[in-house]
Amino acid sequence: MKAIISVPLPQAAYDIVVAPAGLDHLGAWLAAAEPPLLKSGQKVLVVSNPTVFRHYGQRVLDSLQQAGYRVSHCVLPAGERYKTLRSVQKIYDAALAHRLERGSAMVALGGGVIGDMTGFAAATWLRGIAVVQVPTSLLAMVDAAIGGKTGVNHPQGKNLIGAFHQPRLVVIDPEVLKTLPAREFRAAMAEIIKYGVIWDGELFEGLEAAQRLDQVRYLPPELLQLILQRSCQAKADVVAQDEKEAGLRAILNYGHTIGHAIESLMQYRGINHGEAVAIGMVAAAAIATQLGWWDQAEADRQHQLLVKAALPTQIPAGLASDDIVALLSTDKKVQDGRVRFVLPKGIGQADTTDAVSEPLIRSVLAAMAA
Amino acid sequence: MKAIISVPLPQAAYDIVVAPAGLDHLGAWLAAAEPPLLKSGQKVLVVSNPTVFRHYGQRVLDSLQQAGYRVSHCVLPAGERYKTLRSVQKIYDAALAHRLERGSAMVALGGGVIGDMTGFAAATWLRGIAVVQVPTSLLAMVDAAIGGKTGVNHPQGKNLIGAFHQPRLVVIDPEVLKTLPAREFRAAMAEIIKYGVIWDGELFEGLEAAQRLDQVRYLPPELLQLILQRSCQAKADVVAQDEKEAGLRAILNYGHTIGHAIESLMQYRGINHGEAVAIGMVAAAAIATQLGWWDQAEADRQHQLLVKAALPTQIPAGLASDDIVALLSTDKKVQDGRVRFVLPKGIGQADTTDAVSEPLIRSVLAAMAA
């Protein structure tokens, strides 16, 4: 079961490899391509967090060393609150200590936080060196690791500082998901359901046919492989058509407008990104049905999938609609002062609009109170 | 006397306007292009340093406001030692305070330090917003403001952190040079002489024909305009052929390999960038003549131009050749562990090589001791 998904970007085409035991082949895949994705003898800095590094660090280092690379590593604290310029500075310090050169590479071994920070460090070290993404969380596999968005948080806003920097290769090893906490697995299902809604109706129906979606151990390996492939393909399709988020790529933000506001107001505590996105998808679906963009029956099917994945569908207790609405105006997706929403028009189809009125947002949020 | 030099980059073409009183036309030029370079009503953050802002800040703010932009500003301390991530964070804070959006812009009003930091902040705010370069030092006019290199220093090395981010427009107003300290003017002459050596033999001969090159007040306005135009054209030519420094663009580093090592060893005190480059050009010329790449007579003509611009041509007292050689190995231009040099092959012609032996470097440096 090895699948290769191509991301055909004109300046920076690359492959996503989805394969069990992929960790052990990383070095060989980098070296064996013709021409090699990374020249033999080059330096590679592996960036990870303590838990992931303990589980998988040595296998990745071994794989790279056996392929002839000069390997070093840098372990950063885990968690969204460490996704800061300060952590990136630690990567810079490691890059300097190991004398990374323009032909060197960084490998991001971890979830979205490690991937975003390592990508940003690679984008900005010597004005850009290669980065390889090895996502170990389901969320990073189907989202953050693909598409070249990198960055860190500003104390007052998520992902305000960043750069576009496409990876040289993405390696996805489904087997590492067995050590992923169940809650993180469920959170990622929000993004996977999102791909079903905005892009891939067959993926959506595949998820509907699954027995359970709340824990990885209930998914047959074939289904997991299929979900990974189709989700990566959806993201790759969209990114390939709109690398720099000029238009189409905005649909990937389905559920994120209100989702970001919620996780920001909760200061990223007690809720994770996927859970916030799930709530945002419910809100966007309600807006879409109110505007006549989407059938209620299809919105209900989305709701059922989110429930099957044991994801939240209500505004967390204690959050005021006023605060959410106020925060929307600071979102990156604001253009000319108007908030942009991504709304579904069918299963597998979505579009953006900035014509959502504030009263409508308020009424939808009020109806979703816990 | 208004000249427009085009930088025909495929993804990001832009113009350099060289015109007296250009500061007062900045807003109009941004708004009047068809389509406008920056939409009317957009927010613009002007970044500057205290001295430059006192002289020219209000004129730039007025020009932008009159063209319909919503203007704010951010003043940072002057000097290379403030070219740090910490200063960039102050720009981020200002961008957040003024709620800059993806359609907003930053204007860099100042020398190379302001230009590099503002460019980097713009490259990384919301993963990239527009930047307009308004260089006020001669060095920034002919070098830093053109070509999209942005960045800051790491405590242990210059420009190690950065990104490529092309400006939307570059506005050069020669009249602001009247407030430029004489020493900074001379330092910039090093880069201008460099363009004569590596790219434009006619510029070189024009400089040879000048009466004096040591202070701006001795240069007739027509000669100054000509120097600016031809230097910008040289930089634009090279950048257009090699935006990301894959090959040709490396020749712009003529004089910079040893120059960077010298200013780094002196911790950027007692010497400025142009002076260090002048010394580096003398060293590179000596290496080139020793290797048989360059005629001694032409190397002597370069030497005479540097002396006419009152630039240093010897290694500063107290600097050990060993320390310079040791530091070369940490330079960004190191590839596969070998130091790359740019060497002249004639007046207006240069090439790169990594075949310069360490003993040759040492003997050249020894001969240049003060």
Side-chain angles (χ1 to χ4, degrees), chain B residues 45-53 73-84 87-88 90-91 106-123 131-137 140 144-145 149-153 159 184:
Chain B
L45 176 67
V46 176
V47 182
S48 193
N49 71 43
T51 308
V52 170
F53 195 75
H73 66 273
C74 164
V75 176
L76 300 172
E80 181 82 27
R81 72 201 169 96
Y82 293 105
K83 193 173 138 182
T84 59
S87 296
V88 169
K90 288 183 184 164
I91 306 178
M106 296 187 191
V107 170
L109 175 68
V113 170
I114 289 293
D116 283 4
M117 290 198 299
T118 308
F120 184 66
V131 66
V132 175
Q133 294 284 352
V134 185
T136 58
S137 75
K149 279 196 186 181
T150 72
V152 297
N153 300 328
N159 290 326
E184 287 190 43

Side-chain angles (χ1 to χ4, degrees), chain B residues 53-103:
Chain B
F53 195 75
R54 193 170 61 242
H55 283 304
Y56 306 111
Q58 199 55 52
R59 282 171 61 192
V60 167
L61 296 180
D62 288 348
S63 166
L64 290 165
Q65 253 151 3
Q66 280 157 21
Y69 299 114
R70 289 180 284 163
V71 184
S72 55
H73 66 273
C74 164
V75 176
L76 300 172
E80 181 82 27
R81 72 201 169 96
Y82 293 105
K83 193 173 138 182
T84 59
L85 273 185
R86 183 178 293 267
S87 296
V88 169
Q89 271 177 302
K90 288 183 184 164
I91 306 178
Y92 292 146
D93 292 343
L96 189 86
H98 299 291
R99 302 232 182 284
L100 261 60
E101 301 170 1
R102 287 191 180 164

Side-chain angles (χ1 to χ4, degrees), chain A residues 269-286:
Chain A
R269 288 181 203 131
I271 192 164
N272 62 37
H273 178 68
E275 290 164 352
V277 167
I279 299 166
M281 285 164 65
V282 174

Side-chain angles (χ1 to χ4, degrees), chain A residues 106-181:
Chain A
M106 295 186 191
V107 170
L109 175 68
V113 171
I114 288 292
D116 282 5
M117 290 199 298
T118 308
F120 184 66
T124 52
W125 186 251
L126 309 181
R127 296 199 190 87
I129 66 170
V131 66
V132 174
Q133 295 283 353
V134 186
T136 58
S137 74
L138 181 58
L139 185 57
M141 288 175 181
V142 299
D143 185 15
I146 307 165
K149 279 195 185 181
T150 72
V152 297
N153 300 329
H154 184 277
Q156 290 171 261
K158 208 169 134 86
N159 291 326
L160 291 177
I161 299 157
F164 284 97
H165 190 55
Q166 300 295 340
R168 191 70 60 91
L169 176 71
V170 180
V171 172
I172 293 175
D173 182 344
E175 291 176 354
V176 306
L177 294 176
K178 68 176 189 291
T179 56
L180 186 72

